[in-house]
Amino acid sequence: MLHKDTIEKIAASLFRAEREGFEVDKFVDQYPEWNADLAYRVQDRLIDMKCEAEKTKRAGRKLGLTSVAKQQMMGVHEPVYGVLLDSMQVTEHNTVSLEPFIHPKIEPEIAFVFKRELKGPSVSVPEVLDATAYIMPALEIIDSRYLNFSFTLADVIADNSSSSRFILGGPCSKPDKTDLTLTGMVFKKNGRVISTSTGAAVMGHPARAIAWLVNKLAEVGQNIAPGEIVLSGALCEAISIADGDVITMSLDGMGSASTVFTK
Ligand code: OOG
Ligand code: MG
């Protein structure tokens, strides 16, 4: 069992690493008793620190490692979640400066916005879809605070699941208008296709990832509130970004999300 002071210490070092833009060593070597439950407690403390320092508030949640492509890429074979803050949202068509990041990557996602509270346990895919106000194409910029972007399950959870920024595209669609398992996705960098995928890449159905999240949150007495944004997880591998890159993700019949990077 990790002592409360240790949880505080890990949260503070991840907080400083992000603010000052340096990498830290994985905590697993120092704390072999480190596990996912303890790491979510660190994540909670880290989010409190960020809310206070950035004078911001919670906007929703993100899922990570919900596709086989991402699990294989990172060597972690379980989904994770993190918190989205208002300060992480970047408006589409605004240029994003690479300056604050350590080793950023970008990935295509499907975003959900909820009109009703979702509370586990045993929430199902139809219940998730029924509580959804709309879905949107989205991009997530991830940035690990760990050396060489390398981590274990507990490490990545503590680091708020590599959350960094998110961009919502448009338009907003009703989830009942489409079968998300078959929704095609094209991911482009500078006009070249980097990956293609479909909604089924995310746990068979992106709403299944949301159901997993809601049922997992129930274990710690938390839920999804109306108006919250949830990113369901990358549909394919994340890619590195550099000055001048133009990134676009398009979803069949559901629009696109794009962004441009500068130094
Ligand atoms: C962990 C976060 C993964 C996703 O969509 O799969 C994630 C990471 O790969 O650094 O956000
Ligand atoms: Mg992601």
Side-chain angles (χ1 to χ4, degrees):
M1 190 63 190
L2 284 196
H3 194 267
K4 203 162 165 267
D5 292 350
T6 311
I7 288 179
E8 197 66 21
K9 209 171 94 190
I10 299 173
S13 74
L14 286 166
F15 174 78
R16 276 196 50 218
E18 179 172 5
R19 258 185 114 74
E20 294 168 27
F22 61 83
E23 297 161 297
V24 294
D25 290 325
K26 286 183 280 213
F27 294 99
V28 68
D29 303 325
Q30 215 178 329
Y31 305 107
E33 67 273 52
W34 195 218
N35 63 28
D37 293 343
L38 292 166
Y40 279 117
R41 288 177 53 198
V42 173
Q43 187 190 104
D44 273 347
R45 277 301 297 137
L46 174 64
I47 294 302
D48 288 347
M49 289 175 191
K50 283 169 67 80
C51 284
E52 204 184 308
E54 295 169 18
K55 302 275 169 276
T56 191
K57 60 179 179 29
R58 292 164 187 255
R61 304 273 184 171
K62 65 156 280 182
L63 281 135
L65 310 176
T66 50
S67 59
V68 172
K70 282 283 318 199
Q71 291 186 353
Q72 281 177 349
M73 180 183 191
M74 305 318 297
V76 175
H77 301 277
E78 265 179 67
V80 293
Y81 63 83
V83 176
L84 298 178
L85 299 174
D86 283 344
S87 57
M88 295 176 184
Q89 185 164 0
V90 178
T91 312
E92 214 195 1
H93 307 303
N94 270 10
T95 310
V96 181
S97 166
L98 291 166
E99 225 247 284
F101 308 125
I102 303 167
H103 33 210
K105 293 181 183 171
I106 192 160
E107 51 190 26
E109 309 231 357
I110 298 176
F112 286 64
V113 178
F114 294 95
K115 59 185 175 198
R116 270 204 303 283
E117 182 189 77
L118 268 172
K119 202 175 194 157
S122 57
V123 163
S124 64
V125 169
E127 283 169 309
V128 169
L129 293 173
D130 201 48
T132 303
Y134 44 90
I135 44 182
M136 280 173 289
L139 289 167
E140 183 183 24
I141 302 168
I142 52 170
D143 195 14
S144 177
R145 270 53 69 171
Y146 295 112
L147 199 61
N148 303 325
F149 222 118
S150 155
F151 44 68
T152 63
L153 178 72
D155 291 308
V156 68
I157 290 168
D159 189 25
N160 197 26
S161 297
S162 309
S163 290
S164 193
R165 301 285 188 281
F166 65 98
I167 298 146
L168 300 177
C172 300
S173 308
K174 294 278 179 208
D176 53 356
K177 290 276 182 293
T178 173
D179 176 359
L180 279 181
T181 57
L182 298 177
T183 300
M185 189 284 302
V186 178
F187 189 37
K188 285 186 183 174
K189 174 162 140 178
N190 303 327
R192 282 186 50 201
V193 176
I194 300 292
S195 296
T196 57
S197 186
T198 60
V202 174
M203 292 175 81
H205 192 303
R208 185 162 298 120
I210 311 275
W212 176 87
L213 167 70
V214 173
N215 295 328
K216 191 86 186 149
L217 286 174
E219 292 175 12
V220 285
Q222 298 177 16
N223 58 279
I224 301 285
E228 280 191 36
I229 303 163
V230 182
L231 298 181
S232 53
L235 293 141
C236 61
E237 288 192 2
I239 55 166
S240 298
I241 32 192
D243 180 24
D245 282 346
V246 181
I247 309 289
T248 307
M249 76 85 87
S250 315
L251 287 173
D252 186 16
M254 285 176 51
S256 63
S258 59
T259 196
V260 181
F261 290 93
T262 58
K263 268 202 227 99

